[in-house]
Amino acid sequence: MLGIAYIRNSSDHKKYFKLLSFMFLIISVPAIIEFTTGYKIIHDFFEKLTGNKQLAENLYTSDYVRLGFTRATAVFSHPILYAISAVTIIPIVIAINRNDKQKFSASLVSLLGFIVAIITAMTSAAISALVLQQGLKKWYRITNKSIKDAITFIGIVAMLVIQFGSNRGLIKFIAMSVTLDPRTAYYRILQWEFASDDIANNIFFGVGYNGFTHPDWFAESIDSYWLLNILQYGIFSEVALIYFFIKLLKKTFIPCETKESKELLIAYRVVIISILFSGLTVDYFDRMQPILYFILGSSSWLLSDLKREQNANKNIIK
């Protein structure tokens, strides 16, 4: 709703996304400090100020140290939320920069805060989402149908080979391969397996805020937006949420004539798909959730303008 309420036109759109770029650039400073020293400067400051614990205890352990560096949280409650928030904004900022024909140096500065987030959070979920976004952008710019058909065929064959040739199957193979830490990847797979019985037994309305069935040694948390939603609220909530995303995704395929509008539509399209994809291994909670829905709402002005243009063209033809 905030994105819809505050972003009414192209000028507002640029202004607010430049503000997001600036904010991420500002918090990249404490993120780098945290990454190199382990000192969570922002969280520790507010913990002393308020007396309230800002982060979970395990974020201060060696579990969140990789290659000798501490995974940065900046102002977020988890490194993965910091990185995924950045990745979700990047395609739109790139589209705005292209439409404004900014110099490379200016474009790099506008993206610097997001790049720092991805590097310092050290999470494969963000890297995977970024690779997916770039692949989708290339795909949507391919105009030759034969090339698209060939890529699709090769992709399907590769997935079938992995599914039937690997002893882990396609899902586990991808989860264990495309990750910086196979242990956490397998942990997420177990979450799906342990929660499946509770989902089946409470398929319509979910378990609410009750816990799910799991061994004593297994943590209570769920690291998937889609899994947690169907577990807590049931199938009706899951279908409604997926319908919302698919409906919004469909709107990004509306025909448009200007290059600027096409760039933004492709950007929003790849953002929505990457949100759907990342939600399999990331729970969009805390500060990430309002950022996510603000970004989705920020497309409203563009989709409304294009719809009006489309209706006007139809009236002219009639």
Side-chain angles (χ1 to χ4, degrees), residues 59-179:
L59 287 168
Y60 290 90
T61 67
S62 59
D63 289 343
Y64 285 84
V65 176
R66 287 180 178 170
L67 303 175
F69 295 100
T70 301
R71 297 176 62 194
T73 55
V75 298
F76 292 83
S77 57
H78 196 281
I80 202 168
L81 300 180
Y82 179 34
I84 290 292
S85 296
V87 169
T88 307
I89 301 169
I90 283 175
I92 302 168
V93 173
I94 290 175
I96 291 171
N97 290 343
R98 281 184 173 173
N99 290 343
D100 287 350
K101 297 182 174 60
Q102 287 193 8
K103 293 180 179 179
F104 176 77
S105 57
S107 297
L108 183 61
V109 170
S110 68
L111 294 170
L112 189 58
F114 306 120
I115 295 169
V116 169
I118 295 168
I119 293 171
T120 59
M122 299 184 76
T123 169
S124 56
I127 297 169
S128 300
L130 191 62
V131 170
L132 175 66
Q133 289 174 355
Q134 298 310 308
L136 287 169
K137 285 165 76 173
K138 297 292 183 186
W139 171 264
Y140 287 123
R141 290 194 174 98
I142 296 174
T143 55
N144 190 316
K145 189 176 182 298
S146 298
I147 295 176
K148 280 191 171 183
D149 289 342
I151 294 172
T152 303
F153 176 76
I154 292 170
I156 292 172
V157 170
M159 286 189 290
L160 289 173
V161 169
I162 294 170
Q163 175 64 29
F164 296 106
S166 169
N167 61 355
R168 291 177 287 178
L170 179 64
I171 302 300
K172 287 186 179 180
F173 178 86
I174 294 173
M176 300 292 286
S177 302
V178 188
T179 180

Side-chain angles (χ1 to χ4, degrees), residues 76 80-86 88 275 282-295:
F76 292 83
I80 202 168
L81 300 180
Y82 179 34
I84 290 292
S85 296
T88 307
I275 288 170
V282 179
D283 178 25
Y284 303 131
F285 68 99
D286 199 59
R287 294 166 183 82
M288 171 67 195
Q289 194 166 97
I291 290 174
L292 185 151
Y293 284 102
F294 174 84
I295 292 166

Side-chain angles (χ1 to χ4, degrees), residues 6-294:
Y6 285 96
I7 301 180
R8 303 290 184 89
N9 50 52
S10 177
S11 177
D12 290 342
H13 189 254
K14 292 175 185 177
K15 179 176 69 176
Y16 280 103
F17 275 90
K18 284 180 179 178
L19 178 60
L20 280 171
S21 296
F22 179 71
M23 290 170 66
F24 268 82
L25 187 60
I26 292 296
I27 64 174
S28 67
V29 176
I32 292 171
I33 294 171
E34 183 178 352
F35 180 64
T36 53
T37 69
Y39 179 48
K40 303 181 189 301
I41 183 170
I42 295 177
H43 293 292
D44 288 355
F45 170 77
F46 282 102
E47 183 178 330
K48 291 175 182 176
L49 184 67
T50 63
N52 296 320
K53 197 71 177 174
Q54 299 292 311
L55 294 173
E57 289 291 342
N58 65 327
L59 287 168
Y60 290 90
T61 67
S62 59
D63 289 343
Y64 285 84
V65 176
R66 287 180 178 170
L67 303 175
F69 295 100
T70 301
R71 297 176 62 194
T73 55
V75 298
F76 292 83
S77 57
H78 196 281
I80 202 168
L81 300 180
Y82 179 34
I84 290 292
S85 296
V87 169
T88 307
I89 301 169
I90 283 175
I92 302 168
V93 173
I94 290 175
I96 291 171
N97 290 343
R98 281 184 173 173
N99 290 343
D100 287 350
K101 297 182 174 60
Q102 287 193 8
K103 293 180 179 179
F104 176 77
S105 57
S107 297
L108 183 61
V109 170
S110 68
L111 294 170
L112 189 58
F114 306 120
I115 295 169
V116 169
I118 295 168
I119 293 171
T120 59
M122 299 184 76
T123 169
S124 56
I127 297 169
S128 300
L130 191 62
V131 170
L132 175 66
Q133 289 174 355
Q134 298 310 308
L136 287 169
K137 285 165 76 173
K138 297 292 183 186
W139 171 264
Y140 287 123
R141 290 194 174 98
I142 296 174
T143 55
N144 190 316
K145 189 176 182 298
S146 298
I147 295 176
K148 280 191 171 183
D149 289 342
I151 294 172
T152 303
F153 176 76
I154 292 170
I156 292 172
V157 170
M159 286 189 290
L160 289 173
V161 169
I162 294 170
Q163 175 64 29
F164 296 106
S166 169
N167 61 355
R168 291 177 287 178
L170 179 64
I171 302 300
K172 287 186 179 180
F173 178 86
I174 294 173
M176 300 292 286
S177 302
V178 188
T179 180
L180 296 175
D181 187 350
R183 182 175 59 88
T184 57
Y186 190 67
Y187 198 85
R188 284 179 170 85
I189 293 170
L190 289 178
Q191 288 176 353
W192 284 82
E193 293 181 358
F194 291 149
S196 59
D197 288 339
D198 293 288
I199 292 170
N201 293 332
N202 302 272
I203 189 66
F204 294 114
F205 302 108
V207 300
Y209 292 107
N210 297 316
F212 66 102
T213 306
H214 59 80
D216 293 338
W217 54 266
F218 200 81
E220 189 68 35
S221 64
I222 293 287
D223 299 321
S224 166
Y225 186 61
W226 304 114
L227 178 60
L228 184 62
N229 186 71
I230 193 171
L231 175 68
Q232 289 187 331
Y233 308 117
I235 191 68
F236 298 122
S237 173
E238 191 83 343
V239 170
L241 196 57
I242 292 173
Y243 175 78
F244 163 75
F245 277 96
I246 298 300
K247 188 75 174 177
L248 186 58
L249 178 63
K250 186 179 177 182
K251 288 180 180 293
T252 65
F253 286 90
I254 188 171
C256 60
E257 298 177 359
T258 65
K259 182 183 176 183
E260 289 78 7
S261 295
K262 286 179 181 177
E263 286 286 345
L264 283 173
L265 279 180
I266 290 176
Y268 276 106
R269 194 179 306 159
V270 302
V271 163
I272 294 167
I273 294 172
S274 69
I275 288 170
L276 290 166
F277 170 76
S278 297
L280 294 171
T281 58
V282 179
D283 178 25
Y284 303 131
F285 68 99
D286 199 59
R287 294 166 183 82
M288 171 67 195
Q289 194 166 97
I291 290 174
L292 185 151
Y293 284 102
F294 174 84

